[in-house]
Amino acid sequence: MGAVRDAKKAYRLLKKALRSRSAVQRVRRRLGDGEQHPLEHYKIAVYFADGAVNMYQMRQWYRPLAELAKKWPVVVLSRSATGAEKLLDEDAPPVAFVPTVRDLEQFIATQDIRIVLYVNQNTRNFQMFRYGRRWHVFINHGESDKMYMTTNQYKAYDYSFIAGQAARDRLTRTLWDFDVNRRTFEIGRPQADHYSGALPYTPDERTVVLYAPTWEGDRPSAYYGSIATHGEALVNALLATGRHRVIYRPHPRSGVVDHEYGAAHRRIIAAISVANSADAGAQHVYDDGPELGWQLAAADVAVVDISAMVYDRLAVGKPLMITRPVDDRASVDTNGYLSDCEWLTAESAHDIVAEVERVHADEAAIARLRMWVQHYFGDTTPGVATAKFHAAVEQLMQKWDAWQAHEMGAVRPDEDDDDEEADEDD
C-alpha cells in the first residue's frame, strides 16, 4: 500500500511540474511577442508570488492601481506562471514575469522602483524584502476581524496601508512594540470607488437582495457557511414574492467538503432558473463570475456569511445581515462589528421578507450601520478613499526623495528644525 501511495504522489507531482513548465513556456512566449518594458519607467511595483487560485487578491486592486499609474507608473512582479497568465488575460497593470530570484534582480536593476506593494503574506515576499532603498508596503486584499489582520508579519514591512480606526485599534491591541501611528496610513477602501461590472438585469421597482454565502469550511471553527442551513429557505421565500430580485453569489468552493451543502447549492440554482422561466421580468441572478463589485453596490440589502464579504459590503454603507452559524463550534469574533450587527438565524431565514424590510427601513439599524462604516472605513463618500490612497503614496514618495538626498550628503530626513535650533542655542 505504501508503494502505491508513493507512486500516486510521485505521479501527481510530475503532472504538477509538467503543467508548471508548460505555463512558464506560454507566459514567456506571450511576453516575448509583446512590447518590452521601457527602462527606468516604473516607480511602483506590486509583488505577487501567488498563482491563479488567489487572483481575487489582485483583481480588486486593478482599477485603483490603474488610477494611481496615471502619475506613478505601476508594474506587477509576478513570480508564478499561472498567476502571470491570469494577469495577462485580465485588466491588470503591466506584468513582469520574474519566476527566479535572478529574473527579479535583473528586472529591478532596469527600473526606478521606489515603492513595493504587497497584497498578501506569501512566504516568498521575504525574497523581495532583501532589496533596500525602497519602501515595502503591505496593502492587503481586504478588511476583516480575522487573526490574519493582526499577524506579527506587519512588522516586516516598512509601512502598511490600513482601512481605518478599527484596523488601528486591532493592531494596537495585539502587536507588541509596533508604532502604529508612524507605520500605518489610513486609506479607507479605494476599491469601493471602482466597483465595476455591467448589471445583468434591468433595474426596476423590485428590492434587490444579494445572498453571498461562503463555503462550508474544513474545520469546526470555520463552519460559517449557510447554504444548507439558511440558504434554501431565504432564497425560496424571496423568489416567491414577485417583489424581490435575488443575486446569488456563492463561494466557488461551495460543496467541496460536504455533499449535502453542494446539493443545497444546486437546488438554489435550479430554483432561480425555474423562477426566471416562470417570470421573465424577475431577472434573478446566479452569479459565478470573477468580477466582484456591481453586486455589492447594486443590492438594496445584502445577506452574507462571516467572511471578507461582510467588510466588502460594509464599505458600501448599505444595509446588510449576517447569517448566525448554527454550529456552536464556529469561532465568532465579537470585539468588532459582529458584536452589533444584524444577525439572521436559521429559524428567521423563513421570515427573510420581513427581515429585509426591517433593515431596509429601520432608522436605528441604519444609524448603527453608519457608525460601524465610519469606524472601519472612515469617510466613504465616493472618491475620498482614492484621494487618501494617492496621498499616502505621495507622502512615501516624498520620504523616498528625502532619504535619497541624505545619501547624497544632505541632512538626515529625521532631523527636524527644532533640533537644529537647539544646536544653535547650545
Side-chain angles (χ1 to χ4, degrees):
M1 289 294 292
V4 173
R5 186 166 55 249
D6 289 344
K8 289 182 177 179
K9 182 178 179 180
Y11 177 69
R12 288 195 300 270
L13 291 173
L14 178 61
K15 284 183 65 177
K16 183 178 179 181
L18 291 173
R19 285 197 302 269
S20 177
R21 181 179 179 182
S22 178
V24 168
Q25 292 172 341
R26 289 195 302 271
V27 171
R28 292 201 184 280
R29 281 197 300 270
R30 291 180 65 175
L31 290 174
D33 294 339
E35 182 180 347
Q36 297 301 307
H37 296 286
L39 299 178
E40 299 292 321
H41 176 64
Y42 299 110
K43 297 293 189 289
I44 296 175
V46 184
Y47 184 89
F48 188 64
D50 281 76
V53 69
N54 284 328
M55 286 307 300
Y56 72 95
Q57 298 172 346
M58 276 296 305
R59 286 188 185 110
Q60 60 185 269
W61 281 106
Y62 287 172
R63 285 173 175 79
L65 291 169
E67 190 69 25
L68 186 66
K70 292 177 181 178
K71 181 172 184 180
W72 307 105
V74 176
V75 65
V76 180
L77 304 175
S78 180
R79 304 296 308 279
S80 163
T82 60
E85 272 196 303
K86 283 291 184 182
L87 288 162
L88 291 170
D89 289 340
E90 299 176 355
D91 192 23
V95 178
F97 180 46
V98 286
T100 69
V101 172
R102 182 174 182 178
D103 293 327
L104 186 62
E105 285 185 345
Q106 290 177 339
F107 182 79
I108 289 174
T110 69
Q111 298 298 325
D112 184 23
I113 295 171
R114 304 178 181 189
I115 296 175
V116 184
L117 306 176
Y118 301 81
V119 299
N120 60 26
Q121 301 284 19
N122 190 296
T123 55
R124 295 179 78 186
N125 290 2
F126 195 77
Q127 293 181 338
M128 189 67 202
F129 290 163
R130 65 187 291 193
Y131 301 104
R133 292 175 171 77
R134 64 207 75 212
W135 304 124
H136 298 269
V137 182
F138 184 51
I139 61 173
N140 213 334
H141 56 270
E143 165 69 1
S144 75
D145 288 309
K146 294 180 180 178
M147 184 181 69
Y148 178 86
M149 302 300 295
T150 55
T151 169
N152 208 54
Q153 290 164 304
Y154 270 80
K155 295 179 181 177
Y157 303 89
D158 297 306
Y159 300 97
S160 295
F161 290 173
I162 60 176
Q165 188 62 44
R168 185 179 298 279
D169 292 347
R170 202 184 297 125
L171 293 170
T172 300
R173 185 171 60 245
T174 307
L175 298 185
W176 291 353
D177 196 27
F178 181 68
D179 191 339
V180 175
N181 291 328
R182 187 181 71 83
R183 296 180 62 182
T184 63
F185 293 82
E186 291 184 21
I187 65 167
R189 187 164 177 77
Q191 298 96 317
D193 287 335
H194 303 275
Y195 282 153
S196 62
L199 292 181
Y201 60 85
T202 302
D204 53 21
E205 72 282 356
R206 288 177 183 253
T207 299
V208 179
V209 180
L210 168 66
Y211 175 45
T214 190
W215 66 306
E216 61 269 35
D218 56 0
R219 57 194 182 280
S221 63
Y223 286 167
Y224 299 130
S226 68
I227 289 179
T229 55
H230 301 61
E232 284 189 273
L234 74 87
V235 169
N236 287 333
L238 291 168
L239 293 177
T241 68
R243 296 181 287 109
H244 295 83
R245 175 169 294 116
V246 174
I247 301 173
Y248 175 51
R249 183 183 172 83
H251 192 286
R253 287 178 58 82
S254 296
V256 299
V257 173
D258 186 333
H259 294 299
E260 177 50 36
Y261 199 90
H265 161 63
R266 290 187 290 274
R267 288 193 293 269
I268 291 175
I269 297 173
I272 289 174
S273 178
V274 169
N276 282 335
S277 297
D279 179 3
Q283 300 181 78
H284 303 294
V285 180
Y286 164 49
D287 172 37
D288 62 349
E291 201 162 37
L292 176 63
W294 64 266
Q295 309 90 333
L296 296 165
D300 297 301
V301 176
V303 181
V304 303
D305 296 343
I306 296 175
S307 67
M309 288 294 286
V310 172
Y311 304 91
D312 289 341
R313 171 65 178 190
L314 193 63
V316 179
K318 297 170 69 175
L320 75 157
M321 288 181 283
I322 318 300
T323 60
R324 169 76 76 172
V326 171
D327 197 312
D328 292 335
R329 295 172 295 175
S331 177
V332 179
D333 186 337
T334 56
N335 289 315
Y337 173 63
L338 297 184
S339 68
D340 196 31
C341 67
E342 302 294 331
W343 288 110
L344 181 72
T345 65
E347 294 74 22
S348 60
H350 295 276
D351 298 321
I352 186 64
V353 174
E355 291 294 309
V356 164
E357 291 177 354
R358 179 183 64 81
V359 299
H360 198 210
D362 185 346
E363 289 298 328
I366 293 171
R368 286 196 301 273
L369 179 69
R370 288 172 179 162
M371 183 273 290
W372 285 109
V373 170
Q374 174 67 33
H375 182 60
Y376 277 87
F377 300 102
D379 187 351
T380 56
T381 302
V384 170
T386 293
K388 288 181 178 180
F389 178 39
H390 290 197
V393 170
E394 182 71 36
Q395 190 169 340
L396 290 184
M397 287 295 184
Q398 292 174 3
K399 285 177 176 284
W400 190 93
D401 288 336
W403 278 99
Q404 182 74 358
H406 163 60
E407 288 206 342
M408 297 176 65
V411 177
R412 281 180 56 87
D414 53 358
E415 290 180 357
D416 57 31
D417 293 338
D418 291 339
D419 291 335
E420 293 176 4
E421 290 176 4
D423 291 341
E424 290 173 3
D425 291 341
D426 289 341

